[in-house]
Amino acid sequence: MAESVVQLKCMCKHDPWGKKGQDSLAARLAAKTPGTDFKIDNNQFYSEMWMGTYPTVPSFVLSTGESLQDYLKKHPEFIGKSVLDRAGPDIPFLPKILSMTKALPLQVHPDRKLAEQLHQRDPKKFGDPNHKPEIAVALSKFELFAGWKPLNDIQSIFGLKPLQRFIPSGHTHFNDETLRRISKSLLEAPENVVAETTDQLSRLPESAFGQQLYIPGLLDRLRKQYTEFDNGNLIAVLMMNFLTLGPGDAVFIPADGIHAYLSGDIVECMARSDNVLNTGFCPRAERDSVDLFTQALTFVPHDPQEAILPSQKSDKGMNGKTREYAPPISEFNMLATCLNAGESETVKSILGPSIMIVTKGSGKMRVPNKTFDIQEGYVYFVGQGVPLEFETESGLGVYRAYAE
């Protein structure tokens, strides 16, 4: 008889912004699947561990070796009627563990309408017609750029002499259209202009930056990562919110929300898509059209607090040990169950599929008629309608993305 809860084997990617060898949480978690042939090479970069059915980096059922996608096609009853009607025998979200030591590309994910057009035009590059809103929950100190600073803050920075050349004529009072045009000017600026502007800014006294004293130091840090010629440096540092989060803190990035993750380890979840437009923090040859990028931009969020996704105690946790991250989209929510030594939690059944990963500690997970010994790095698909009981002698952290 098919099992509604199965352990998964997940793969890890090697993007150059990832962490090296054992430093990468993504690699360490991926290597802990029992019986895996995945071994960590300390000279290799490890960036993302993917969990789910997306075909680029699929997950496999540990006991049978078949892909989770094939398993669910044979057993669509584990998806649950409402998700099955909406998404077919598939997982409508894509969870990942990311470990990063330098900035990811400055990017937006096209909304559904643009994604459909791009997929039709170039299905090899844009592999699906879906949008890609996402959340990121910090597992360590996590630095990122997300969304836009308040207009007044941007306007005051662009009053500095080295930046005045980028202000469109007639724009004495900034609005979002001003930002779109400045973004285009900054992204189209020749390399020598980018380097010269960065150099001029670094020579200004710290006091010139008002409340934003971090700007010169951050420009210098990015210049060392991606050279002084990268257009992304200026957009990110001058115009975007720079956030530092601690473990358990989270952000929501809407479709078309500009962002660039900078450092740390996170659990991320997004709608089931891999579409992205990049224009900075990557080689020039890999950048997308500036026209397309600036056309796709939206101006949400427009304040650091608007980017934050608070968690709240979940009514699915019977003992009050489970918190929920609920972004304003229909594709998924995420539960975080955190137990200290000797604690337990029962999580009510969910009317849809879920994927869970143990991010720290060890313990037992009981489902009807079966008990699993679980530990850091173990990943499971949980079918609809299955209550879970967790207990631990040493402490346990579990993240679980689900659709209902």
Side-chain angles (χ1 to χ4, degrees):
M1 196 170 110
E3 304 271 353
S4 57
V5 178
V6 291
Q7 190 167 3
L8 301 179
K9 177 180 170 182
C10 303
M11 304 295 157
C12 210
K13 291 182 72 199
H14 298 289
D15 304 281
W17 46 260
K19 291 186 178 179
K20 226 173 186 182
Q22 292 285 346
D23 287 343
S24 169
L25 178 67
R28 293 201 309 273
L29 295 178
K32 288 185 174 174
T33 303
T36 183
D37 50 5
F38 175 65
K39 299 284 183 283
I40 298 174
D41 175 351
N42 279 323
N43 297 311
Q44 177 75 267
F45 290 99
Y46 296 98
S47 54
E48 303 185 342
M49 179 173 93
W50 290 29
M51 300 168 270
T53 55
Y54 200 84
T56 319
V57 189
S59 298
F60 298 87
V61 177
L62 189 62
S63 57
T64 64
E66 67 190 311
S67 73
L68 178 59
Q69 175 82 82
D70 288 344
Y71 188 76
L72 294 178
K73 280 181 181 165
K74 285 196 290 196
H75 305 289
E77 67 274 13
F78 296 148
I79 295 289
K81 183 171 181 348
S82 111
V83 178
L84 193 61
D85 289 349
R86 196 167 76 234
D90 220 328
I91 306 284
F93 51 83
L94 173 57
K96 302 176 181 179
I97 299 289
L98 267 64
S99 292
M100 49 228 150
T101 194
K102 65 178 191 174
L104 276 68
L106 179 67
Q107 59 188 265
V108 297
H109 305 305
D111 65 18
R112 202 173 261 122
K113 186 178 174 190
L114 182 57
E116 285 169 359
Q117 293 168 5
L118 294 172
H119 176 65
Q120 211 165 9
R121 197 186 311 163
D122 187 355
K124 195 169 176 195
K125 179 168 165 50
F126 300 98
D128 57 79
N130 201 15
H131 68 166
K132 189 180 167 184
E134 66 186 42
I135 69 169
V137 184
L139 298 174
S140 66
K141 179 184 173 187
F142 171 39
E143 297 175 297
L144 71 155
F145 298 102
W148 306 88
K149 293 174 183 171
L151 281 164
N152 290 344
D153 291 358
I154 300 173
Q155 181 155 2
S156 98
I157 286 294
F158 276 81
L160 295 173
K161 198 163 189 310
L163 299 173
Q164 289 172 5
R165 65 168 103 181
F166 299 107
I167 301 174
S169 60
H171 284 247
T172 50
H173 186 70
F174 276 33
N175 57 27
D176 289 343
E177 193 48 43
T178 317
L179 299 196
R180 194 185 304 279
R181 291 176 62 180
I182 290 176
S183 299
K184 195 166 188 298
S185 299
L186 288 172
L187 290 170
E188 288 177 340
E191 289 188 345
N192 65 313
V193 171
V194 174
E196 181 187 300
T197 304
T198 305
D199 188 54
Q200 289 168 346
L201 289 170
S202 69
R203 291 167 191 269
L204 294 175
E206 218 173 46
S207 58
F209 297 93
Q211 299 288 307
Q212 303 177 58
L213 296 176
Y214 65 85
I215 284 178
L218 204 47
L219 270 175
D220 188 52
R221 182 174 161 191
L222 290 169
R223 177 163 55 177
K224 287 174 179 148
Q225 289 187 7
Y226 287 102
T227 79
E228 69 272 31
F229 304 114
D230 196 302
N231 305 61
N233 298 348
L234 295 174
I235 293 252
V237 177
L238 302 174
M239 300 174 74
M240 294 173 66
N241 299 308
F242 173 60
L243 304 170
T244 302
L245 305 186
D249 294 339
V251 289
F252 170 62
I253 308 289
D256 287 343
I258 189 169
H259 62 290
Y261 298 159
L262 192 53
S263 74
D265 302 289
I266 61 172
V267 56
E268 182 185 55
C269 193
M270 59 204 60
R272 188 182 182 277
S273 172
D274 194 31
N275 291 326
V276 64
L277 297 169
N278 297 323
T279 56
F281 306 149
C282 58
R284 212 158 264 276
E286 293 173 20
R287 295 182 199 174
D288 289 291
S289 145
V290 170
D291 280 339
L292 183 59
F293 186 88
T294 49
Q295 169 202 330
L297 285 179
T298 58
F299 293 92
V300 178
H302 226 319
D303 175 279
Q305 276 313 306
E306 285 176 29
I308 301 296
L309 178 67
S311 65
Q312 60 272 330
K313 198 171 274 192
S314 174
D315 60 6
K316 290 183 164 48
M318 308 282 279
N319 301 344
K321 306 290 182 187
T322 299
R323 298 192 69 78
E324 184 143 12
Y325 299 88
I329 54 173
S330 62
E331 279 87 353
F332 64 87
N333 280 12
M334 185 175 281
L335 300 175
T337 300
C338 295
L339 303 179
N340 295 318
E343 292 184 338
S344 63
E345 174 71 298
T346 298
V347 182
K348 295 177 196 169
S349 61
I350 287 170
L351 299 175
S354 60
I355 289 180
M356 60 160 271
I357 179 166
V358 182
T359 56
K360 66 177 182 187
S362 61
K364 293 194 181 301
M365 175 174 74
R366 291 193 169 84
V367 303
N369 306 318
K370 191 165 184 179
T371 298
F372 295 85
D373 287 314
I374 61 173
Q375 57 181 285
E376 190 175 283
Y378 285 20
V379 182
Y380 293 87
F381 165 79
V382 181
Q384 64 91 22
V386 181
L388 302 179
E389 289 178 31
F390 298 102
E391 62 180 52
T392 176
E393 290 178 9
S394 58
L396 184 68
V398 173
Y399 283 88
R400 182 181 177 195
Y402 75 91
E404 202 163 46

